[in-house]
DNA sequence: AGTATGACGGCGT
DNA sequence: AACGCCGCCATAC
């Protein structure tokens, strides 16, 4: 298990409830830049991580629930988000930019 | 050891 | 504006 995964989990776990971020934002924050795919791959492995990782708060730059299919049930991700006050319609987060949580901005420095 | 793939993103056409 | 290709890092086969 690469430290990269731990870094991703650490950032994801810092995402406040009702907020979401993108794979690219996390990757960029970690210095991986274009390795946004790796973040997604880390999420896949997050299932094996000891601590709970709110992977449902991580979406692509479109605010689309691209990884919802990786949860226990395809609707779990959407329900979790809506449970936190994030409206999701047709796998699309409403007011994505409003709920967007940028690690570079929030965890700046 | 080399090739293909992946929950993405940016840039070129 | 829409579509397509390339890049980026790590894992899988």
């Amino acid at each position: 298990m690469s430290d990269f995964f731990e870094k991703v989990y650490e950032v994801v776990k810092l995402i406040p409830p009702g907020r979401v971020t993108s794979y690219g934002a996390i990757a960029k924050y970690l210095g991986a830049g274009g390795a946004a795919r790796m973040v997604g791959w880390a999420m896949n492995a997050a299932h094996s991580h000891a601590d709970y990782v709110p992977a449902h708060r991580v979406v692509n730059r479109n605010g689309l629930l691209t990884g919802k299919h990786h949860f226990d049930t395809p609707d779990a991700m959407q329900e979790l988000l809506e449970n936190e006050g994030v409206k999701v319609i047709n796998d699309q987060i409403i007011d994505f930019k409003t709920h967007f949580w940028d690690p570079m901005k929030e965890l700046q420095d």
Side-chain angles (χ1 to χ4, degrees), chain A residues 46-84:
Chain A
H47 181 75
S48 301
H49 192 254
D51 299 326
Y52 171 67
V53 181
H56 61 276
R57 296 178 189 151
V58 186
V59 298
N60 68 347
R61 77 171 190 92
N62 289 309
L64 192 66
L65 309 187
T66 53
K68 74 166 203 165
H69 214 263
H70 288 259
F71 284 74
D72 283 353
T73 60
D75 294 326
M77 188 175 190
Q78 179 171 332
E79 288 187 36
L80 284 167
L81 286 171
E82 290 186 324
N83 192 298
E84 296 181 351

Side-chain angles (χ1 to χ4, degrees), chain A residues 32-48:
Chain A
R37 309 173 183 237
M38 187 40 358
V39 179
W41 198 261
M43 293 292 93
N44 192 358
H47 181 75
S48 301

Side-chain angles (χ1 to χ4, degrees), chain A residues 86-97:
Chain A
V86 180
K87 294 180 181 178
V88 179
I89 299 178
N90 191 18
D91 304 338
Q92 171 65 49
I93 295 178
I94 307 304
D95 294 327
F96 175 59
K97 63 180 181 182

